[in-house]
Amino acid sequence: MFRRVLIANRGEIAVRIMRACRELGLETVAVYSEADACAPHVAQADRAVCIGPPPSNESYLNIPRLIDAAQAARAEAVHPGYGFLAENAAFARAVEDAGLVFIGPRPDAIAAMGDKTLARRTVAAAGVPVVPADDDPLGYAGSHRPETGATSEEATLLVAAATRLGYPLLIKAAAGGGGKGMRVVRDAAQLRDAFNAAAREARGAFGDDRLFLERYVERPRHVEVQVLADHHGNVVHLGERECSIQRRHQKLIEETPSPAVDATLRKRMTDAAVAAARSVGYRSAGTVEFLLAPDGAFYFLEMNTRLQVEHPVTELVTGIDLVHAQLRIAAGEHLWLQQEDIIARGHAFECRICAEDPAQEFLPRPGKIVALHEPQGPGVRVDSGIAQGYVVPLYYDPLLAKLCVWGESRDAARRRMIAALKDYVVLGCATGIPFLLDVLEHPAFVGGETHTHFIEDYLRTWTGREHCRTVAVIAAAVDTARQRPTARANHHNDSVLQSPWTTLGHWRLGERG
């Protein structure tokens, strides 16, 4: 086993990885931009290296600076976390070329699954179901198009390809993910403009404007399967997660098991996931994502060649630490688990706590955290990257923390999540907590009737304005109280002034009225 690990990431996932490293007796190295100099992940590391100015391309996405930081800190391995460079084959290759261990899959596996058209062909050859598609509707054979809109001739080719597939269809970026470069098209009149818009977005997000057409599955569930694989050809799955509650193709709430997956369907989906992992000689933790149609058919969506944001729910039901597993596999260990050793118990949910305003189309709302209270109790877990007094920077993803709960049944876990959210207070920046509560209490969610258009169908007009005003007033009052010394300090314990929770009584963040 290596002795020192550099975490090429920030926020809650950096803190999470550091905890796992400490438990295995490994030293940790944090990297940080100038905007993150006071971030909790920096304080929790054994050592830390500044890698540049706040913009991501000058810091967390700058491969030479990350490699220099690892070598300067004498790290022996690099964990990419998720996001940033976690699924960048060039980064994984640069780590290995520098004589370091990349804690993740091989670069060629990352590349194979990162190209969506190549991934589709690869897993289809392994017998994994895929959505009917045209991988090259314009006949460019994988090369990049000129940076212009579709010509009249190309538009004719597009219409012909779309007609063969049938409407509605989805335009997708070959190099993409996270909803970038993606457009739904319901008739030929929309096709050309949607294609041009998707190409521009894909070029800006990935530097690659290759697109493909795929039959659009109406109101599917998003169900994914967690896999673990070692260097020696052993692959196991850890069951499925459902991630259907999304906004703009970004997940908000995840759960395991899926309320729509029975034992027979689970066997078919997990077998397909293991086959997909084997098809690229996968190693480390990975996730195979599927669309589950209302008729029970399922189709390969993509493989995430990294640790998922929502990995804690799998850990809660299986008792298996996925970051420990990544570290041990990267060190060359044979997989110590057989499939029959993995038993899921109970139900788990994760809610993403983000600095954003659901009433304003989920626009980011960073700011200074003037007061913070995280829920505790049996079956409650918080993976956090923030602290009281921390100023949330506007340069990065707005994810602050992940609230996860476990219960003996889906309803028990749901009720525990509601109670935990009502005890979770972040004052100083807007969060989606009130919105998450309304999702969890919606009759369709209670009944397990979830799909990827859930928010659009049921909560499109959500405002939550009265609640948000209340929280803003309390945040301002708390911040003012912290800055204004009063005579009471001479007569009362200082902790009374330092903690607003002693004066809020029975007030809870999610309560109405």
Side-chain angles (χ1 to χ4, degrees):
M1 176 72 77
F2 28 78
R3 295 173 298 172
R4 185 175 297 162
V5 178
L6 180 137
I7 295 95
N9 218 296
R10 62 179 300 279
E12 66 83 18
I13 190 57
V15 174
R16 164 72 183 94
I17 295 166
M18 289 173 192
R19 184 173 68 248
C21 288
R22 284 196 300 271
E23 290 170 354
L24 294 179
L26 307 179
E27 295 180 15
T28 58
V29 181
V31 293
Y32 63 95
S33 73
E34 292 167 1
D36 273 338
C38 297
H41 80 276
V42 177
Q44 294 189 31
D46 294 302
R47 58 187 66 195
V49 181
C50 182
I51 51 172
S56 297
N57 63 343
E58 298 182 54
S59 51
Y60 298 105
L61 292 176
N62 191 305
I63 294 176
R65 288 183 180 175
L66 289 165
I67 298 299
D68 287 347
Q71 292 176 329
R74 297 185 180 180
E76 298 166 85
V78 175
H79 196 305
Y82 58 71
F84 291 127
L85 294 168
E87 294 181 281
N88 186 302
F91 178 54
R93 195 169 292 112
V95 169
E96 294 185 351
D97 288 347
L100 307 170
V101 175
F102 182 75
I103 302 172
R106 297 190 327 273
D108 61 339
I110 297 174
M113 286 303 184
D115 185 313
K116 305 309 177 190
T117 55
L118 176 58
R120 282 172 45 83
R121 292 194 298 270
T122 300
V123 302
V128 178
V130 296
V131 180
D134 188 325
D135 290 346
D136 190 19
L138 298 183
Y140 279 90
S143 62
H144 296 274
R145 298 173 56 248
E147 292 189 15
T148 59
T151 65
S152 297
E153 183 177 331
E154 289 175 332
T156 300
L157 292 172
L158 278 174
V159 170
T163 302
R164 288 192 298 271
L165 282 175
Y167 293 95
L169 56 83
L170 192 63
I171 299 172
K172 297 178 72 174
K180 303 290 187 183
M182 188 180 293
R183 295 292 187 280
V184 177
V185 179
R186 297 192 176 277
D187 57 54
Q190 302 174 332
L191 187 58
R192 186 173 181 177
D193 287 346
F195 187 90
N196 290 338
R200 286 193 300 271
E201 188 171 87
R203 189 183 307 120
F206 313 115
D208 185 339
D209 64 359
R210 290 174 300 127
L211 304 175
F212 65 98
L213 306 182
E214 185 177 88
R215 178 80 59 78
Y216 183 61
V217 181
E218 295 275 13
R219 282 172 170 69
R221 294 176 186 257
H222 183 131
V223 179
E224 61 190 30
V225 175
Q226 177 72 58
V227 297
L228 277 178
D230 64 15
H231 296 254
H232 313 285
N234 302 303
V235 185
V236 296
H237 71 80
L238 282 76
E240 86 281 356
R241 299 183 287 254
E242 179 164 339
C243 313
S244 298
I245 305 300
Q246 305 177 3
R247 50 95 171 103
R248 297 195 302 273
H249 304 285
Q250 298 291 318
K251 303 164 187 173
L252 291 177
I253 299 176
E254 300 96 349
E255 64 180 300
T256 185
S258 165
V261 176
D262 60 19
T264 301
L265 179 57
R266 180 171 297 114
K267 179 69 165 61
R268 292 170 54 215
M269 295 186 80
T270 54
D271 283 352
V274 169
R278 290 189 184 282
S279 71
V280 290
Y282 198 79
R283 72 175 188 220
S284 192
T287 299
V288 182
E289 300 192 343
F290 297 100
L291 293 178
L292 177 59
D295 63 2
F298 66 91
Y299 306 98
F300 173 81
L301 179 61
E302 64 181 0
M303 184 173 188
N304 294 137
T305 54
R306 55 170 168 79
L307 190 68
Q308 291 282 83
V309 176
E310 59 272 19
H311 75 274
V313 294
T314 297
E315 295 181 329
L316 287 173
V317 299
T318 63
I320 296 169
D321 188 311
L322 289 170
V323 182
H324 279 188
Q326 286 188 300
L327 294 165
R328 293 173 63 182
I329 289 169
E333 286 192 35
H334 282 78
L335 199 60
W336 52 97
L337 296 166
Q338 301 294 321
Q339 191 61 60
E340 57 269 20
D341 298 328
I342 302 168
I343 301 171
R345 296 180 174 86
H347 203 99
F349 282 103
E350 174 182 282
C351 284
R352 302 191 187 193
I353 311 300
C354 299
E356 60 188 15
D357 186 355
Q360 297 294 320
E361 298 185 346
F362 295 93
L363 285 175
R365 288 287 186 264
K368 179 182 178 181
I369 298 173
V370 298
L372 176 66
H373 177 73
E374 296 175 341
Q376 298 176 344
V380 177
R381 166 177 167 176
V382 179
D383 284 18
S384 176
I386 58 174
Q388 192 164 291
Y390 175 60
V391 178
V392 179
L394 51 78
Y395 301 97
Y396 314 116
D397 186 277
L399 181 66
L400 304 177
K402 301 177 313 200
L403 174 60
C404 306
V405 303
W406 178 92
E408 292 183 355
S409 66
R410 184 175 191 268
D411 195 57
R414 185 185 67 86
R415 291 177 183 276
R416 178 166 282 167
M417 178 62 84
I418 289 170
L421 283 168
K422 289 179 178 180
D423 278 345
Y424 207 143
V425 181
V426 182
L427 299 183
C429 58
T431 73
I433 290 174
F435 182 83
L436 295 168
L437 283 164
D438 282 349
V439 173
L440 289 162
E441 294 176 328
H442 194 283
F445 188 91
V446 175
E449 299 167 5
T450 53
H451 53 76
T452 57
H453 292 269
F454 186 97
I455 291 174
E456 182 180 346
D457 285 0
Y458 298 119
L459 295 161
R460 180 197 293 269
T461 60
W462 189 91
T463 59
R465 293 186 188 278
E466 181 178 347
H467 172 90
C468 293
R469 280 197 298 269
T470 301
V471 172
V473 169
I474 293 170
V478 170
D479 197 31
T480 300
R482 290 189 185 284
Q483 298 179 46
R484 182 192 302 158
T486 70
R488 292 180 60 198
N490 297 323
H491 305 288
H492 297 274
N493 188 303
D494 288 347
S495 65
V496 174
L497 291 179
Q498 293 300 316
S499 177
W501 321 121
T502 60
T503 59
L504 290 179
H506 293 292
W507 180 84
R508 290 293 182 271
L509 182 62
E511 299 292 355
R512 295 167 176 78

